[in-house]
Amino acid sequence: MITNIVTVIRFILNEKEIATDLPPGTVLLDLIRYHEHLMGTKIGCREGDCGACTVLVGEIAFGELRYESMTSCLLPIGNVNGKHIVTVEGTNPSPGSGQVLNPMQQAMADEGATQCGFCTPGFVVSLAGFCLSDKQPTIDNAIAAVDGNICRCTGYKSIERAAARVTGLMKERNNEDPVAFAVKKKMLPDYFSTIKDRLSKLETIPLMTHDSRLMTVGGGTDLYVQKHDEMTQAPIRFVFDDPAWNGIKKEGNTCIIGASATVSDLKNSSVINKAFPDFQRYAKLVSSTPIRNMATIAGNFINASPIGDLTIFFLALDAKLVLSDGVTKRELSLRKLYKGYKTLDKKPAEYIEQIRFELPTKGSFFHFEKVSKRTHLDIATVNSAIYLQIKNELITEAGLSAGGVGPVPMFLQKTSEFLAGREINDETITGAIEVMKTEISPISDARGAKEYKTLLLEQLIKVHFMSVLSS
């Protein structure tokens, strides 16, 4: 039987250094509440949806202390080794400061932005993360920082007013270090100014191991929703912070993505944003900020959800996977990974090490669309992506993908082949839609009837080509 190597996980929780021998698969939320007895971090959905358990995770990257918001209900403590964790208690004013509330708390109170108060700690923590980020101090960015927090009783306009007040306090920051500015303006307590030095001196033992018999976990955002209790005691190797598994780079015209790169990593990548000018809009359709900070690209692929947004995105681009079992490696097209519902062309010991794809070039076009009951913070009813190479007004190569219309994320091979060699006109679009209908097999479920899903995909294909013609 394989078991985790017993080790001590060390990190800083607010001001306190923590050393724990709890199983690395334990979620941070349980450690915070049941072992450290910090009750400001609430237990809500345990699925990463409500934001009541939001914490800030700080780490030194490229010589700078950087904070991101994450949902502690899905965050294994194995992924916080050597980091700084901030709960709502950790944002309270420094003793002797003369403050009763920090500015985020005060703004929420003054604007009547809280009723039952259950969600308030999560909002305060997310706004603190906004103050510690290098984002421009705009109201839109402040509101985006709390996009993973749900309030069921207050109403969001008062919360938006509170966010606007916090934004106003940051107008004078200019190019000053966000942490130093937040401490100077008493937006956050004094101890924050010591964290960078303390993290650099924190003695930790890396949890990374190359034993392929262990379950490989990146962000864990899908696994902990589906198998919370099982994951706590599971033998795990954590790769979220392994440098060999991170990063996004360009070699020639090939983009190479580490398997544990997150949605936020894609969102912040100059390589991705240059290749896909609309990527910021696409990324905003994927979950919320705290989940985007945790969810990995490879995890989205391996979860094999028929409506996985990133899977649909990369199917159209004919991404290639580098699979390894720790000894041998092989390359497999993402289009060949899915053999049936939740069934993969992958051996149990294999894991994704890298994702590779050719970047769009001159004369190419890419477009992604998603329809869900809510525009944001929702899973897709139907999603679709298209990649076209166009030369002399003819489509020379096509890749069309769709989710929610079959048991697996679908690459529509027949439709893609139909498009190749044709002009973009009404006849081609109509013909492609008819071929598409022969490839898909949607079912009626809570997200819609099969006829509705077919109609949605038909409309999305039309939107793809409308975007081509207007570009």
Side-chain angles (χ1 to χ4, degrees):
M1 179 178 178
I2 304 168
T3 58
N4 279 311
I5 299 171
V6 177
T7 188
V8 175
I9 296 171
R10 297 183 185 275
F11 60 96
I12 300 172
L13 177 60
N14 300 327
E15 289 189 79
K16 177 184 176 181
E17 184 173 322
I18 300 293
T20 179
D21 60 1
L22 286 171
T26 305
V27 292
L28 180 62
L29 173 62
D30 292 342
L31 180 147
I32 289 170
R33 288 183 60 87
Y34 301 141
H35 296 270
E36 295 302 318
H37 308 293
L38 297 173
M39 298 305 179
T41 306
K42 304 302 183 186
I43 297 175
C45 64
R46 278 199 183 269
E47 293 186 352
D49 284 338
C50 70
C53 70
T54 302
V55 297
L56 299 182
V57 180
E59 62 179 321
I60 299 173
F62 305 106
E64 299 294 329
L65 179 58
R66 184 185 69 177
Y67 287 89
E68 292 183 319
S69 60
M70 297 186 185
T71 55
S72 60
C73 67
L74 302 180
L75 180 59
I77 61 173
N79 279 348
V80 305
N81 195 36
K83 299 179 182 179
H84 181 214
I85 303 301
V86 184
T87 69
V88 68
E89 292 90 347
T91 70
N92 289 335
S94 300
S97 67
Q99 295 173 288
V100 177
L101 301 175
N102 68 40
M104 290 76 71
Q105 294 166 331
Q106 192 68 58
M108 294 284 284
D110 291 347
E111 294 296 338
T114 183
Q115 286 189 35
C116 80
F118 192 85
C119 69
T120 305
F123 277 98
V124 170
V125 169
S126 292
L127 286 172
F130 170 61
C131 296
L132 290 169
S133 76
D134 58 4
K135 296 285 194 304
Q136 290 297 312
T138 66
I139 295 175
D140 285 346
N141 282 339
I143 292 172
V146 297
D147 68 9
N149 299 90
I150 292 175
C151 178
R152 302 188 188 280
C153 56
T154 304
Y156 291 105
K157 287 304 174 184
S158 55
I159 296 170
E160 289 181 6
R161 291 196 300 271
R165 288 183 58 151
V166 173
T167 303
L169 298 173
M170 298 171 60
K171 292 295 186 183
E172 300 174 4
R173 188 176 71 184
N174 298 318
N175 295 321
E176 193 169 346
D177 175 70
V179 176
F181 181 84
V183 171
K184 182 177 73 174
K185 293 295 185 179
K186 295 185 177 182
M187 303 182 77
L188 288 166
D190 294 341
Y191 80 84
F192 271 83
S193 62
T194 70
I195 293 298
K196 183 178 179 181
D197 184 59
R198 289 179 65 186
L199 284 181
S200 66
K201 295 176 180 178
L202 188 65
E203 294 185 5
T204 60
I205 301 173
L207 302 182
M208 295 172 291
T209 173
H210 296 287
D211 189 339
S212 60
R213 294 174 298 170
L214 302 177
M215 178 186 294
T216 302
V217 174
T221 53
D222 281 318
L223 286 170
Y224 276 92
V225 171
Q226 298 171 26
K227 304 176 181 180
H228 173 272
D229 293 339
E230 178 183 332
M231 292 299 296
T232 299
Q233 298 293 335
I236 298 171
R237 64 168 180 159
F238 294 92
V239 298
F240 190 72
D241 296 307
D242 189 334
W245 291 63
N246 289 327
I248 300 168
K249 61 183 179 180
K250 178 181 177 182
E251 291 184 358
N253 194 51
T254 302
C255 181
I256 302 171
I257 303 173
S260 64
T262 65
V263 183
S264 291
D265 290 335
L266 289 179
K267 195 169 181 283
N268 296 329
S269 166
S270 59
V271 173
I272 296 297
N273 283 285
K274 183 177 180 180
F276 305 98
D278 287 334
F279 192 80
Q280 294 299 309
R281 180 176 69 83
Y282 301 152
K284 197 172 181 180
L285 298 174
V286 180
S287 195
S288 63
T289 295
I291 298 300
R292 289 193 290 265
N293 290 338
M294 302 165 66
T296 64
I297 315 306
N300 193 260
F301 294 170
I302 294 301
N303 185 46
S305 167
I307 49 175
D309 293 318
L310 293 176
T311 307
I312 298 305
F313 187 98
F314 284 101
L315 274 172
L317 294 165
D318 195 16
K320 303 296 191 294
L321 312 177
V322 177
L323 294 169
S324 175
D325 61 6
V327 178
T328 60
K329 298 181 182 182
R330 67 184 176 106
E331 187 173 279
L332 178 71
S333 171
L334 179 61
R335 295 174 180 177
K336 296 182 179 180
L337 179 63
Y338 306 105
K339 299 170 66 176
Y341 180 71
K342 298 285 185 174
T343 304
L344 308 177
D345 183 9
K346 184 185 79 69
K347 299 174 185 176
E350 288 184 316
Y351 49 86
I352 298 176
E353 198 171 78
Q354 279 186 348
I355 300 112
R356 298 169 174 260
F357 70 97
E358 293 302 305
L359 292 161
T361 56
K362 185 178 180 180
S364 65
F365 174 85
F366 179 87
H367 191 246
F368 173 81
E369 284 291 342
K370 173 180 177 178
V371 176
S372 50
K373 291 187 176 182
R374 298 189 305 251
T375 302
H376 303 291
L377 307 177
D378 202 359
I379 56 179
T381 300
V382 173
N383 49 14
S384 179
I386 195 168
Y387 176 69
L388 300 173
Q389 284 277 3
I390 301 172
K391 186 175 182 179
N392 297 328
E393 299 186 353
L394 289 179
I395 301 170
T396 59
E397 181 182 341
L400 178 65
S401 59
V405 290
V408 300
M410 297 190 69
F411 169 61
L412 301 180
Q413 183 170 344
K414 293 179 181 178
T415 312
S416 299
E417 291 173 352
F418 172 85
L419 288 169
R422 297 176 186 269
E423 294 183 22
I424 299 176
N425 53 38
D426 289 345
E427 182 181 354
T428 295
I429 298 169
T430 300
I433 289 170
E434 291 306 310
V435 176
M436 170 272 289
K437 291 177 180 178
T438 70
E439 290 196 84
I440 65 174
S441 56
I443 60 171
S444 298
D445 57 20
R447 298 184 195 96
K450 61 183 181 181
E451 294 83 4
Y452 173 64
K453 294 178 182 180
T454 302
L455 179 60
L456 278 183
L457 183 53
E458 178 178 338
Q459 297 304 311
L460 292 187
I461 290 173
K462 291 177 181 177
V463 171
H464 288 326
F465 282 104
M466 287 171 62
S467 299
V468 175
L469 294 172
S470 64
S471 63

